[in-house]
Every structure is written in C-alpha cells, then in structure tokens.
Amino acid sequence: MDKRDVIAFFDALAPQWDADMICDEQVIASILDGAQVKAGRRVLDVACGTGVMIPHYLSRGVSHVTAIDISPEMARIAQEKFAKTPQVEVVYGDVEEAVFDRPFDAVVVYNAFPHFPEPERLIARLAALLVPGGTLTVAHGMSREKIDRHHSGAAHKVSVGLMHEDELAAIFEKHLEVTVKLSDERMYQVTGVKR
C-alpha cells in the first residue's frame, strides 16, 4: 500500500465525508470511556478526517485536541470547522513523521487503523507519544467483519484489513498494558495504558 494512494483516495472522499458519516452515539461513548477520554486530558486524534470525533472529545471537557490527517483535503475541512475553537489544533501531516511539542494523555485512532501499512511501527510510534498513564486506543464503530467487507470494495488498495483483536493486543503489549480488548457485532476496540 502506497501512502500517495491513501492520500488521493481520502482527498477524493473528503467533500462528501460528513454527509456519508453514520455515528452510533452509544458506541462512540463506549469507545471514549474505554479510551479514558475525559476532562482535562490532551488528546491526539490520529487520521482525524474531517474532525468527526472532535465534538465528542470537546463534550467531555478535554483541555486540548490535536487532530492530524495525511489527507490535505480532510485536514482542510477539519481546520475550517474548528477554526474558532481555541482548544483544537488541526495538523496536515503524517503522524508517523510529525513532531509534537509535548506528549498526550490519550491517543485515539478511530475508523482508520487498516489504512496504516505497518501496524507494529505505528503502535510503537503512538505509544511513544503518551505520558505515563496515558492511553492509546484503536477502535472502529462497527464489527471487524463489516470493516473488512466495507474495505473489500473501492478501498481495497488503501486497506490492509483489520487484524484480529488478539493480534493487535499482542502488539500493544510490547509497549503498553492492555486494558480493553473487544470485538463484537457493534464495535472493535483495543486500548492500552502506558506504565
């Protein structure tokens, strides 16, 4: 999978992204509970798209959100949406290369993990961006089977498939203490805490 293909794919989808988005509020609440996203925390939203998760973070009273996306069109739309929200910073860039001025309390990868070609490298990188006691979450608002079926169409060139939760948890355990490992018909989530 070539990152240039990922960028082109998501740039093309960006204008319709919000209109096509389906959000299950209960699933998102469960994911953010497991991710320990709560008041006062600094959050890194990885592959933020148009910023669909940002209102959910803000509703929990987080102190700051840094949202990053490799697609310039996705990042541009997110920047426009949150330009007047001082506690939100949207960055266009590759999270695997970006430099951040301080670590985060929570790092969330929502509905994006299969688009990263090197899961081990990504998890190591994101775990390194956490404060001690900080959480890393990889989550999807649908089942693993539905994600893989969804990505088997037009997205097959920009998706490596969603690995089994046990396999992802094993990668997490190299860097973090796993606190959530869940895969059912509603959602998928693996969360770890940095000790």
Side-chain angles (χ1 to χ4, degrees):
M1 179 169 44
D2 189 313
K3 286 185 181 180
R4 290 171 298 189
D5 291 337
V6 174
I7 292 166
F9 181 81
F10 285 102
D11 274 356
L13 291 178
Q16 279 297 113
W17 194 254
D18 287 351
D20 294 341
M21 185 57 52
I22 299 167
C23 284
D24 183 323
E25 300 290 331
Q26 286 184 316
V27 167
I28 289 173
S30 294
I31 288 168
L32 295 184
D33 287 347
Q36 298 180 28
V37 172
K38 53 191 174 189
R41 298 196 102 192
R42 286 176 41 81
V43 177
L44 175 63
D45 185 357
V46 176
C48 66
T50 59
V52 295
M53 290 296 285
I54 294 172
H56 299 285
Y57 305 137
L58 295 175
S59 73
R60 290 174 170 244
V62 301
S63 63
H64 191 266
V65 177
T66 300
I68 185 167
D69 204 285
I70 199 168
S71 157
E73 275 304 296
M74 290 286 194
R76 182 188 62 75
I77 292 168
Q79 282 172 335
E80 286 177 3
K81 285 164 64 174
F82 298 99
K84 295 182 179 170
T85 309
Q87 66 269 43
V88 175
E89 173 190 14
V90 179
V91 178
Y92 156 59
D94 183 345
V95 74
E96 293 179 317
E97 312 287 334
V99 176
F100 301 99
D101 61 353
R102 50 194 279 215
F104 298 92
D105 301 301
V107 175
V108 178
V109 185
Y110 176 72
N111 283 0
F113 189 65
H115 305 296
F116 289 90
E118 297 177 71
E120 296 241 8
R121 179 174 177 234
L122 178 68
I123 297 307
R125 164 73 171 142
L126 298 181
L129 296 175
L130 290 169
V131 299
T135 56
L136 168 60
T137 293
V138 171
H140 285 269
M142 62 178 72
S143 71
R144 187 163 51 87
E145 293 75 18
K146 281 184 183 173
I147 287 287
D148 285 344
R149 204 164 42 247
H150 176 69
H151 286 169
S152 68
H156 77 278
K157 287 186 181 177
V158 295
S159 174
V160 293
L162 185 56
M163 66 176 54
H164 192 281
E165 61 277 9
D166 291 340
E167 190 180 350
L168 181 56
I171 296 172
F172 267 56
E173 284 168 355
K174 296 175 184 178
H175 312 279
L176 307 160
E177 178 187 331
V178 174
T179 55
V180 177
K181 183 178 68 171
L182 172 66
S183 181
D184 61 24
E185 68 284 348
R186 294 171 60 237
M187 60 184 276
Y188 172 102
Q189 181 172 17
V190 176
T191 298
V193 175
K194 187 170 186 175
R195 297 297 182 206

